[in-house]
Amino acid sequence: GESVGLHLPTLSVQEGDNSIINCAYSNSASDYFIWYKQESGKGPQFIIDIRSNMDKRQGQRVTVLLNKTVKHLSLQIAATQPGDSAVYFCAETGNQAGTALIFGKGTTLSVSS
Amino acid sequence: DTGVSQDPRHKITKRGQNVTFRCDPISEHNRLYWYRQTLGQGPEFLTYFQNEAQLEKSRLLSDRFSAERPKGSFSTLEIQRTEQGDSAMYLCASSLAVRDEQYFGPGTRLTVT
């Protein structure tokens, strides 16, 4: 069935390091992927997205990489800051874009200064 | 602040009572989604609207759950005869039909005692 999962439930880094958060998806027909950041007590915050016709997309301090061969998605955060501490979710729209998002369980990123 | 608002932010109710939550999407967004999030999990899709039409509701958790978007603007989610298992964060998101990224509100945290 369709599912989106993450490799590690927690990731601890030092301030200034680069962080890499990974996600594996199972639906090879998925054509759109999103990364969200969720702080405690708040709703998910859109970070960056990527379509299946791309393998890399960059934003401000963040890069998303998509490897369709192994159905793997990653989020790279450059120069990680304490304010980046949160739970990160990847999500996909499965076969149909613009409808329901399917979320994984999330990775908790802890940044120590 | 994404521009999506939800009310109330917190709701404590006794088992068996009915509750209603409201979501106000970003004003030009014609798609509106409801999700449920339990502790430690990613959001789980419930239903979505395009304008006032409810296009997907098969994933509502039971017939005690219903949602409306009567004028294609704000939406309400009602849970009848609440049960302790309904305790969760209820999230609303909105998007433009021609774009895929969904923007989430802060959520309504429901506690059923």
Side-chain angles (χ1 to χ4, degrees):
Chain A
E2 296 181 16
S3 66
V4 178
L6 294 173
H7 291 296
L8 291 174
T10 61
L11 177 65
S12 297
V13 300
Q14 293 286 323
E15 182 178 3
D17 287 351
N18 296 332
S19 301
I20 300 175
I21 301 172
N22 296 304
C23 174
Y25 64 94
S26 60
N27 187 347
S28 57
S30 292
D31 60 1
Y32 180 67
F33 304 88
I34 311 175
W35 280 101
Y36 284 94
K37 171 187 179 182
Q38 188 172 25
E39 297 173 288
S40 181
K42 298 184 179 180
Q45 175 189 349
F46 175 88
I47 301 173
I48 193 168
D49 58 1
I50 190 167
R51 293 201 173 278
S52 59
N53 60 355
M54 303 173 69
D55 53 19
K56 180 179 180 179
R57 191 163 187 227
Q58 288 184 291
Q60 186 176 9
R61 282 203 306 119
V62 295
T63 300
V64 55
L65 299 177
L66 176 63
N67 184 331
K68 294 181 286 294
T69 302
V70 294
K71 293 186 286 188
H72 183 268
L73 190 70
S74 68
L75 177 70
Q76 300 178 359
I77 305 173
T80 314
Q81 303 167 0
D84 295 327
S85 295
V87 180
Y88 289 80
F89 294 96
C90 65
E92 63 174 326
T93 56
N95 294 332
Q96 259 184 304
T99 56
L101 289 174
I102 303 167
F103 284 80
K105 290 186 178 180
T107 289
T108 300
L109 176 65
S110 299
V111 183
S112 53
S113 53
Chain B
D1 184 2
T2 62
V4 179
S5 61
Q6 292 188 245
D7 183 71
R9 295 293 309 277
H10 302 275
K11 177 72 176 177
I12 300 174
T13 191
K14 293 184 177 179
R15 188 177 54 186
Q17 297 295 304
N18 300 342
V19 294
T20 301
F21 309 139
R22 176 177 170 129
C23 170
D24 286 88
I26 295 171
S27 60
E28 64 268 26
H29 284 188
N30 46 10
R31 286 187 174 173
L32 186 149
Y33 308 78
W34 285 99
Y35 292 82
R36 184 180 80 154
Q37 186 175 26
T38 54
L39 196 63
Q41 303 296 315
E44 174 189 12
F45 170 73
L46 296 178
T47 187
Y48 99 97
F49 295 84
Q50 180 155 323
N51 300 311
E52 64 275 10
Q54 191 172 12
L55 297 185
E56 174 60 65
K57 57 182 180 180
S58 65
R59 301 193 202 181
L60 284 168
L61 299 164
S62 78
D63 59 7
R64 297 184 296 107
F65 287 70
S66 62
E68 294 183 341
R69 195 183 183 196
K71 298 181 180 178
S73 56
F74 74 91
S75 175
T76 57
L77 177 70
E78 182 181 17
I79 309 173
Q80 296 183 328
R81 304 180 303 280
T82 52
E83 302 173 356
Q84 287 187 320
D86 297 332
S87 295
M89 176 79 86
Y90 291 85
L91 293 161
C92 172
S94 69
S95 72
L96 285 170
V98 294
R99 296 186 63 85
D100 299 314
E101 63 266 29
Q102 296 179 22
Y103 294 92
F104 283 81
T108 294
R109 180 163 295 285
L110 172 67
T111 301
V112 182
T113 61

XYZ file of all heavy atoms in Angstrom, chain A residues 2 31-32 34 36 38 41-46 49 51 57 87 89 93 96-106, chain B residues 2 9 31 33 35 37 40-45 48 59 89 91 95 97-107 109:
480
model
N 0.201 2.379 -0.034
C 0.949 3.632 -0.050
C 1.423 3.951 1.357
O 0.657 3.902 2.310
C 0.073 4.764 -0.550
C -0.374 4.599 -1.970
C -1.222 5.777 -2.405
O -1.189 6.807 -1.729
O -1.921 5.637 -3.410
N 4.146 11.576 -7.436
C 4.759 12.572 -8.303
C 5.003 13.915 -7.624
O 5.454 14.863 -8.269
C 3.905 12.775 -9.558
C 2.500 13.248 -9.233
O 2.193 13.442 -8.036
O 1.699 13.414 -10.168
N 4.702 13.990 -6.335
C 4.901 15.262 -5.651
C 5.207 14.977 -4.201
O 4.523 14.166 -3.557
C 3.632 16.113 -5.778
C 3.696 17.461 -5.103
C 4.545 18.447 -5.555
C 2.878 17.732 -4.008
C 4.592 19.687 -4.934
C 2.917 18.965 -3.389
C 3.779 19.938 -3.858
O 3.826 21.165 -3.241
N 6.626 16.755 -0.298
C 6.752 17.980 0.493
C 7.455 17.652 1.797
O 7.228 16.585 2.380
C 5.371 18.575 0.840
C 4.461 18.678 -0.376
C 5.526 19.954 1.477
C 3.058 19.144 -0.042
N 7.731 19.137 5.684
C 7.141 20.044 6.660
C 7.961 20.016 7.941
O 8.539 18.990 8.307
C 5.706 19.638 7.005
C 4.673 19.971 5.970
C 4.304 19.040 5.001
C 4.042 21.216 5.947
C 3.344 19.339 4.048
C 3.079 21.520 4.996
C 2.739 20.580 4.054
O 1.788 20.875 3.113
N 7.442 20.799 12.052
C 6.398 21.021 13.044
C 7.014 21.233 14.417
O 7.680 20.346 14.952
C 5.415 19.844 13.092
C 4.204 20.116 13.969
C 3.144 19.038 13.879
O 3.436 17.891 13.558
N 1.893 19.397 14.152
N 3.198 21.957 19.572
C 1.962 22.705 19.751
C 1.527 23.508 18.552
O 0.544 24.257 18.625
N 2.220 23.358 17.418
C 1.882 24.119 16.220
C 1.545 23.198 15.063
O 1.835 22.009 15.094
C 3.049 25.029 15.824
C 3.412 26.074 16.870
C 4.507 26.989 16.368
C 4.856 28.061 17.395
N 5.929 28.964 16.909
N 0.938 23.756 14.027
C 0.670 22.996 12.829
C 1.922 22.841 11.985
O 2.898 23.574 12.154
N 1.931 21.889 11.062
C 3.078 21.715 10.173
C 3.321 22.964 9.322
O 2.376 23.576 8.821
C 2.667 20.531 9.293
C 1.648 19.793 10.102
C 0.906 20.855 10.849
N 4.580 23.294 9.158
C 4.980 24.473 8.392
C 5.681 24.009 7.112
O 6.647 23.260 7.168
C 5.921 25.337 9.241
C 6.517 26.532 8.525
C 7.605 27.206 9.363
O 7.778 26.915 10.540
N 8.340 28.115 8.754
N 5.180 24.470 5.977
C 5.758 24.106 4.678
C 7.216 24.568 4.600
O 7.543 25.698 4.928
C 4.938 24.772 3.575
C 5.477 24.586 2.194
C 5.118 23.482 1.443
C 6.330 25.516 1.629
C 5.605 23.318 0.163
C 6.826 25.365 0.356
C 6.460 24.262 -0.386
N 9.185 21.788 -1.497
C 8.562 20.682 -2.203
C 9.377 20.337 -3.448
O 10.287 21.068 -3.849
C 7.114 21.015 -2.571
C 6.968 22.268 -3.441
O 7.998 22.893 -3.784
O 5.824 22.627 -3.769
N 8.855 17.985 -7.343
C 8.073 17.117 -8.214
C 8.952 15.985 -8.717
O 10.173 16.082 -8.726
C 7.525 17.918 -9.398
C 6.504 18.938 -8.980
C 5.599 19.358 -10.119
N 4.540 20.200 -9.613
C 3.435 19.729 -9.046
N 3.245 18.444 -8.937
N 2.520 20.546 -8.609
N 16.149 20.254 -5.467
C 15.593 21.604 -5.414
C 16.153 22.292 -4.193
O 16.255 21.687 -3.129
C 14.064 21.552 -5.340
C 13.412 22.889 -5.551
C 11.958 22.775 -5.891
N 11.433 24.095 -6.234
C 10.307 24.594 -5.760
N 9.570 23.873 -4.934
N 9.916 25.790 -6.120
N 10.083 18.628 14.725
C 9.824 17.351 14.057
C 9.654 17.631 12.573
O 8.942 18.560 12.184
C 8.565 16.661 14.615
C 8.332 15.331 13.899
C 8.688 16.450 16.109
N 8.581 16.156 8.826
C 7.807 15.145 8.129
C 8.002 15.276 6.630
O 7.985 16.385 6.093
C 6.303 15.317 8.391
C 5.871 15.071 9.794
C 5.719 16.116 10.692
C 5.590 13.783 10.231
C 5.304 15.894 11.988
C 5.173 13.546 11.529
C 5.029 14.607 12.409
N 1.759 12.977 -2.295
C 0.361 13.008 -2.710
C -0.017 11.756 -3.470
O -1.066 11.684 -4.061
C 0.065 14.242 -3.583
O 0.948 14.244 -4.688
C 0.191 15.513 -2.793
N -2.308 11.167 -7.074
C -3.051 12.356 -7.467
C -2.505 13.580 -6.775
O -2.569 13.689 -5.570
C -4.520 12.204 -7.078
C -5.425 11.809 -8.215
C -6.862 11.764 -7.775
O -7.219 11.091 -6.848
N -7.694 12.527 -8.458
N -2.021 14.504 -7.535
C -1.547 15.737 -6.939
C -2.740 16.598 -6.529
O -3.811 16.497 -7.084
C -0.689 16.495 -7.935
N -2.524 17.415 -5.512
C -3.544 18.368 -5.113
C -4.613 17.810 -4.212
O -5.578 18.486 -3.920
N -4.455 16.588 -3.777
C -5.430 16.036 -2.851
C -4.742 15.641 -1.552
O -3.905 16.328 -1.049
C -6.185 14.863 -3.490
O -5.252 13.892 -3.935
C -7.018 15.335 -4.681
N -5.126 14.512 -1.014
C -4.652 14.151 0.310
C -3.141 13.972 0.366
O -2.531 13.409 -0.540
C -5.314 12.853 0.750
N -2.547 14.460 1.440
C -1.147 14.214 1.716
C -1.022 12.972 2.587
O -1.803 12.768 3.511
C -0.511 15.402 2.436
C -0.307 16.676 1.612
C 0.181 17.797 2.496
C 0.650 16.440 0.467
N -0.039 12.157 2.278
C 0.268 10.976 3.082
C 1.572 11.265 3.805
O 2.604 11.506 3.168
C 0.413 9.731 2.199
C -0.860 9.510 1.386
C 0.736 8.506 3.055
C -0.688 8.511 0.266
N 1.516 11.278 5.124
C 2.667 11.639 5.942
C 3.349 10.415 6.522
O 2.710 9.411 6.826
C 2.215 12.511 7.125
C 1.906 13.928 6.781
C 0.694 14.270 6.213
C 2.826 14.929 7.029
C 0.393 15.587 5.908
C 2.542 16.249 6.728
C 1.330 16.573 6.161
N 4.641 10.533 6.716
C 5.389 9.575 7.495
C 5.302 9.920 8.974
O 4.571 10.837 9.373
N 6.077 9.201 9.772
C 6.001 9.380 11.217
C 6.841 10.542 11.725
O 6.649 10.989 12.828
C 6.427 8.094 11.928
C 5.429 6.963 11.761
C 5.812 5.766 12.609
C 4.776 4.668 12.474
N 5.123 3.482 13.303
N 7.771 11.012 11.028
C 8.542 12.179 11.447
C 9.886 11.860 12.061
O 10.079 10.792 12.659
N 0.568 31.066 8.957
C 0.374 30.739 7.543
C -0.807 31.470 6.941
O -0.966 31.484 5.716
C 0.131 29.237 7.391
O -1.079 28.891 8.094
C 1.295 28.433 7.935
N -8.536 26.712 19.829
C -7.215 26.092 19.824
C -7.190 24.863 20.708
O -6.463 23.910 20.447
C -6.167 27.102 20.277
C -5.974 28.287 19.342
C -5.360 27.856 17.998
N -4.165 27.064 18.199
C -2.960 27.561 18.427
N -2.781 28.873 18.472
N -1.925 26.761 18.605
N -9.208 25.037 -2.055
C -9.202 23.700 -1.482
C -8.958 23.777 0.021
O -8.111 24.540 0.483
C -8.138 22.829 -2.142
C -8.535 22.393 -3.537
C -7.569 21.408 -4.123
N -8.045 20.903 -5.402
C -7.346 20.123 -6.199
N -6.119 19.756 -5.848
N -7.842 19.698 -7.340
N -8.664 21.158 3.568
C -8.443 19.779 4.016
C -8.554 19.702 5.530
O -8.157 20.619 6.236
C -7.034 19.311 3.630
C -6.662 19.496 2.186
C -6.280 20.738 1.692
C -6.691 18.421 1.299
C -5.930 20.915 0.364
C -6.338 18.589 -0.031
C -5.963 19.837 -0.490
O -5.619 20.010 -1.812
N -7.259 17.112 8.693
C -6.400 16.013 9.093
C -6.528 15.819 10.601
O -6.878 16.741 11.333
C -4.919 16.323 8.796
C -4.550 16.391 7.343
C -4.769 17.557 6.599
C -3.964 15.315 6.694
C -4.426 17.638 5.264
C -3.603 15.383 5.356
C -3.838 16.544 4.652
O -3.488 16.611 3.320
N -4.150 14.358 13.892
C -2.802 13.965 14.283
C -2.809 13.493 15.723
O -3.191 14.242 16.629
C -1.821 15.125 14.106
C -0.374 14.740 14.357
C 0.585 15.867 14.071
O 0.242 17.048 14.145
N 1.830 15.530 13.720
N 2.924 11.654 18.361
C 4.031 10.905 17.782
C 3.819 10.446 16.349
O 4.684 9.779 15.780
N 2.682 10.802 15.772
C 2.377 10.372 14.407
C 2.288 11.567 13.469
O 2.115 12.709 13.897
C 1.040 9.619 14.381
C 0.987 8.415 15.297
C 1.955 7.334 14.905
O 2.074 6.990 13.731
N 2.687 6.803 15.874
N 2.394 11.281 12.176
C 2.147 12.317 11.199
C 0.655 12.545 11.030
O -0.161 11.700 11.412
N 0.268 13.667 10.455
C -1.155 13.918 10.219
C -1.780 12.847 9.329
O -1.141 12.335 8.405
C -1.155 15.286 9.536
C 0.106 15.940 10.004
C 1.096 14.812 10.109
N -3.037 12.562 9.605
C -3.808 11.550 8.873
C -4.966 12.253 8.191
O -5.766 12.930 8.843
C -4.309 10.497 9.856
C -5.247 9.462 9.284
C -5.858 8.598 10.390
O -5.728 8.952 11.573
O -6.492 7.586 10.048
N -5.062 12.093 6.883
C -6.087 12.768 6.095
C -7.492 12.296 6.466
O -7.743 11.090 6.630
C -5.831 12.508 4.620
C -6.932 12.941 3.697
C -7.151 14.290 3.443
C -7.754 12.013 3.085
C -8.162 14.696 2.591
C -8.761 12.417 2.224
C -8.969 13.758 1.978
N -11.642 16.413 2.249
C -11.281 17.681 1.648
C -12.392 18.239 0.780
O -13.269 17.506 0.305
C -9.941 17.597 0.911
C -9.977 17.408 -0.581
C -9.853 18.493 -1.451
C -10.058 16.140 -1.143
C -9.830 18.328 -2.811
C -10.038 15.967 -2.512
C -9.919 17.054 -3.346
O -9.888 16.881 -4.717
N -12.527 8.741 4.112
C -11.560 8.508 5.174
C -11.944 9.147 6.498
O -11.154 9.126 7.444
C -10.183 8.982 4.728
C -9.721 8.258 3.481
C -8.274 8.464 3.210
N -7.963 8.220 1.822
C -6.753 8.310 1.295
N -5.735 8.666 2.064
N -6.545 8.084 0.028
N -5.046 16.075 17.836
C -4.974 17.399 17.236
C -5.686 17.331 15.899
O -5.397 16.449 15.084
C -3.522 17.817 17.030
C -3.354 19.138 16.317
S -3.613 20.542 17.399
C -1.948 20.691 18.080
N -6.240 19.198 12.456
C -5.561 20.197 11.647
C -6.347 20.497 10.386
O -6.935 19.611 9.771
C -4.168 19.697 11.239
C -3.150 19.527 12.355
C -2.024 18.609 11.913
C -2.584 20.877 12.772
N -5.199 25.078 0.137
C -4.321 25.219 -1.023
C -5.114 25.789 -2.185
O -6.347 25.814 -2.182
C -3.718 23.859 -1.415
O -4.701 23.028 -2.007
N -6.224 25.233 -6.014
C -6.435 24.026 -6.810
C -5.345 23.837 -7.849
O -5.014 22.722 -8.218
C -7.809 24.075 -7.475
N -4.764 24.935 -8.320
C -3.765 24.810 -9.369
C -2.366 24.602 -8.820
O -1.420 24.439 -9.566
C -3.779 26.044 -10.295
C -5.087 26.100 -11.067
C -3.550 27.328 -9.499
N -2.232 24.636 -7.490
C -0.944 24.378 -6.875
C -1.129 23.312 -5.810
O -2.216 23.096 -5.329
C -0.372 25.663 -6.257
C -0.075 26.741 -7.278
C 0.614 27.928 -6.636
N 1.910 27.582 -6.085
C 3.043 27.556 -6.798
N 3.017 27.821 -8.080
N 4.180 27.261 -6.222
N -0.086 22.662 -5.467
C -0.221 21.511 -4.586
C 0.131 21.763 -3.140
O -0.333 21.037 -2.280
C 0.660 20.367 -5.115
C 0.239 19.953 -6.508
O -0.974 19.791 -6.718
O 1.114 19.810 -7.363
N 0.958 22.762 -2.862
C 1.411 22.890 -1.483
C 0.252 23.302 -0.585
O -0.522 24.202 -0.918
C 2.585 23.862 -1.346
C 2.301 25.291 -1.711
C 2.657 25.606 -3.142
O 2.601 24.706 -3.989
O 2.972 26.767 -3.417
N 0.146 22.601 0.531
C -0.905 22.863 1.500
C -0.314 23.609 2.691
O 0.761 23.265 3.175
C -1.527 21.546 1.968
C -2.230 20.793 0.851
C -2.829 19.480 1.314
O -3.094 19.280 2.498
N -3.044 18.576 0.375
N -1.067 24.606 3.163
C -0.648 25.396 4.305
C -1.572 25.070 5.473
O -2.793 25.123 5.333
C -0.674 26.891 3.962
C 0.345 27.228 2.907
C 0.007 27.209 1.554
C 1.654 27.538 3.261
C 0.954 27.489 0.584
C 2.604 27.816 2.289
C 2.251 27.787 0.957
O 3.198 28.063 -0.005
N -0.942 24.739 6.584
C -1.689 24.268 7.741
C -1.969 25.378 8.745
O -1.168 26.298 8.925
C -0.908 23.159 8.459
C -0.987 21.833 7.777
C -0.173 21.534 6.692
C -1.898 20.875 8.204
C -0.250 20.311 6.055
C -1.986 19.645 7.577
C -1.157 19.363 6.501
N -3.100 25.222 9.428
C -3.399 26.070 10.564
C -2.736 25.525 11.821
O -2.054 24.497 11.776
N -2.948 26.200 12.950
C -2.295 25.799 14.199
C -2.914 24.569 14.852
O -2.330 23.987 15.758
C -2.463 27.024 15.092
C -3.711 27.660 14.589
C -3.722 27.429 13.107
N -4.102 24.185 14.389
C -4.745 23.000 14.936
C -5.656 23.286 16.117
O -5.554 24.321 16.787
N -6.641 21.246 19.529
C -6.332 20.072 20.345
C -7.571 19.675 21.130
O -8.069 20.454 21.946
C -5.174 20.329 21.291
C -4.849 19.098 22.144
C -3.503 19.148 22.800
N -2.404 19.128 21.859
C -1.992 18.044 21.193
N -2.597 16.884 21.368
N -0.959 18.117 20.385
